[in-house]
Amino acid sequence: AACGAIKAACDAATDRIELAKIVSPVAADVFAPALLRVASREAAPAASNAAYFALVRCASACVEPSFLRRVCDAYAQCRAGAPGFEPRGVRVRKELPPRNELLRRRALELVARVLADWPSRVLTDQNADCLACATRCLLSGLADPCMGVRRAARACFEVYEAVWPREAESLVFELDPHGRQLVHGGALSGDPGDERNDTGSRWALGGARAFARRETRDGRVAA
């Protein structure tokens, strides 16, 4: 019921500018932390799915950089194997195996949606830290041990490149050979750390961009 109410509020905010100004910060700082905790519950798939779809609506109704940071932090903590969501800035002291593959994939899908839908003035604001946040998440996603997560990261890279073309070119040079092959050709091997896997790679499903970014002349994202 709570997820349904959040989705309704976000839907209303997308149609009314005056309401969007109220809902946007609430979605980022109140709804998102709670929804991410629910979405991380692997033992409750129904609640997890409902929370994820509510997060998708939040991403459309929100233009707060803190929303993107929270989503990227959720991915980073799952990738680090943290047992729960630690406060922002707290590092996991010991290395653990990654957890919650579904949430890691969904976090990258949310990042891609944000990069596709949000206005450039928000994403390119140097004070917003969106570039650094998205870059860290994307670099980690392209090297994720799970194939489904790497596929989501590749789709995310397509939108990242549309927003920050120069930074995307520099990012490619930071990748290992497997990462560059994934970005340029869509090859998905079983283990990105296995240098022996030069042939027989699997390929990402579909060559088209998952999230097409188009803007009007005044800088707004086209529908």
Side-chain angles (χ1 to χ4, degrees):
C3 291
I6 290 173
K7 289 191 288 185
C10 292
D11 287 343
T14 57
D15 298 327
R16 299 176 59 184
I17 297 177
E18 64 276 11
L19 185 58
K21 295 179 180 179
I22 300 173
V23 172
S24 181
V26 174
D29 300 326
V30 179
F31 294 163
L35 290 172
L36 284 167
R37 288 188 179 90
V38 177
S40 69
R41 296 176 183 173
E42 297 178 272
S48 177
N49 289 338
Y52 169 69
F53 292 123
L55 281 165
V56 170
R57 301 292 180 86
C58 288
S60 299
C62 174
V63 289
E64 306 295 328
S66 59
F67 178 86
L68 179 60
R69 288 196 296 269
R70 292 182 189 281
V71 172
C72 291
D73 285 347
Y75 170 85
Q77 290 172 21
C78 288
R79 176 70 194 278
F85 287 105
E86 301 291 341
R88 188 170 186 268
V90 175
R91 295 184 178 181
V92 179
R93 295 184 178 180
K94 58 181 180 180
E95 294 185 4
L96 299 170
R99 67 177 183 87
N100 206 327
E101 175 186 351
L102 180 60
L103 185 58
R104 300 203 312 276
R105 175 169 58 80
R106 285 177 165 178
L108 284 162
E109 291 171 353
L110 285 169
V111 172
R113 186 173 295 275
V114 164
L115 298 186
D117 292 348
W118 285 14
S120 292
R121 60 176 175 78
V122 176
L123 295 172
T124 57
D125 183 357
Q126 294 182 357
N127 296 325
D129 196 33
C130 289
L131 172 60
C133 183
T135 300
R136 287 193 299 269
C137 188
L138 184 55
L139 279 171
S140 182
L142 289 169
D144 196 279
C146 296
M147 183 182 300
V149 180
R150 296 199 301 278
R151 183 181 289 119
R154 181 179 183 267
C156 185
F157 178 83
E158 298 284 358
V159 197
Y160 180 98
E161 186 178 29
V163 181
W164 299 295
R166 293 183 179 179
E167 289 80 359
E169 184 177 358
S170 300
L171 183 147
V172 171
F173 288 103
E174 297 183 34
L175 300 173
D176 58 19
H178 171 83
R180 288 194 292 271
Q181 186 182 18
L182 170 59
V183 167
H184 290 308
L188 293 163
S189 66
D191 181 3
D194 187 356
E195 299 178 354
R196 299 170 300 174
N197 197 344
D198 296 328
T199 59
S201 298
R202 298 180 63 178
W203 295 81
L205 299 178
R209 294 184 176 183
F211 298 85
R213 180 180 175 82
R214 296 180 295 111
E215 290 191 5
T216 58
R217 290 183 177 180
D218 61 357
R220 294 178 300 173
V221 178

